[in-house]
Amino acid sequence: MNLEQLSTTLQSHQNWLITTHKGPDGDAVGSVVAWAAYAEQCGKDYLILFPDQPASYLCPFLDGYQWGVYDASKTYDFDLLFALDYNAPSRVGDDMSLFVAAYPAPKVMIDHHPGPTDFCQLTISEPKACSTTEVIYMTLAALEQLSLVNIPMAQGLYLGLMTDTGSFRFPSVSARTHQMVAHLLEIGLVHHLIHEAVYDVNSVTRLQLRGYAIAEKLQLFPQQRLGILSLSKEELKRFAYQKGDTEGLVNVILSIEGFDAGVFLMEAEEGVKFSFRSKGERFVNVFAQTHFNGGGHQYAAGGFYQGSLKEALAKLHSLIDLI
Ligand code: 5GP
Ligand code: MN
């Protein structure tokens, strides 16, 4: 990272457009919240722009901020664009990717996904970081601006850390992560309220959907130490599916003794969305990229199949020894 260039860029631009990836998760929302709070601290004007609506449990974190969902019929007049928690324009989805790629203002990426593509004037990429909010914090530290971290910023930073680390349990967590949390608690962050806001907001139908998936839809392949969960459109409808209801469901496979890889397939209107998870010696991002048009981290990746759930499962079964 060229610190001087970053510092000058931040200082010399007044209108910040803060973007993140499609299907925003806790780290995506935490990152844009932290960056918007930083923008406010710096006296900048800003807009948080999502490719699609965040899940309802994440929306309370956006209260009080300027935010919206991309609308191709609107014009967005900003002089600096931030790409937070994504590494390629394609990650903002078909509707918004050209808008981001062709946006006439300078762009700054802050991210932790491996393999950043070259679409920003400034790229701050730390694949070793456990979350993008950790990269944001490191960036503020490098700029000697940690004194600007206030409670609103801390809430976004902690949201990203907590959700992208499975509540501080993944190998990506480091001493630095805990030092950062210590600082956030020292300034007065009430961390358990963030945990409750994210994890204690289940609807009964969400729990029933997850219970049904585990009881009825889990396919186990002990020889491959792999489990597969899948849910069809009809099953999702039966349990009144809301965005976010299946978040993290794939991780239950990794909690089965002797299993170190899990795949979750969810049928949507446009096709089938894949979530891959693994641990230990096993990585899933190359498989996701090679066979399912996706990618991500070594232990957590996503992908997509254009076709029916049945076809997607058949393709996955045929490739099972390669995962
Ligand atoms: P999830 O399973 O939670 O949707 O995604 C897991 C991880 O894989 C996230 O870090 C996400 O950024 C990444 N990911 C999900 N879908 C895709 C995709 O289609 N392409 C790429 N490159 N990464 C993805
Ligand atoms: Mn992330």
Side-chain angles (χ1 to χ4, degrees), residues 175-202:
R176 185 177 68 191
T177 313
H178 285 288
Q179 281 153 4
M180 173 176 163
V181 173
H183 175 201
L184 303 183
L185 298 193
E186 273 160 17
I187 65 165
L189 176 76
V190 187
H191 66 283
H192 66 89
L193 292 182
I194 296 180
H195 199 281
E196 285 160 30
V198 172
Y199 296 114
D200 295 347
V201 290
N202 284 321

Side-chain angles (χ1 to χ4, degrees), residues 117-176:
T117 60
D118 187 16
F119 75 101
C120 294
Q121 279 66 26
L122 270 164
T123 299
I124 304 167
S125 170
E126 294 286 341
K128 284 208 172 77
C130 67
S131 68
T132 293
T133 63
E134 188 174 62
V135 187
I136 289 175
Y137 184 88
M138 286 161 58
T139 304
L140 296 182
L143 291 168
E144 298 183 2
Q145 288 190 313
L146 285 183
S147 60
L148 293 183
V149 178
N150 56 7
I151 298 283
M153 215 189 293
Q155 286 171 340
L157 293 171
Y158 192 87
L159 174 63
L161 282 180
M162 182 188 80
T163 52
D164 258 24
T165 60
S167 298
F168 305 96
R169 60 163 288 188
F170 295 152
S172 56
V173 171
S174 66
R176 185 177 68 191

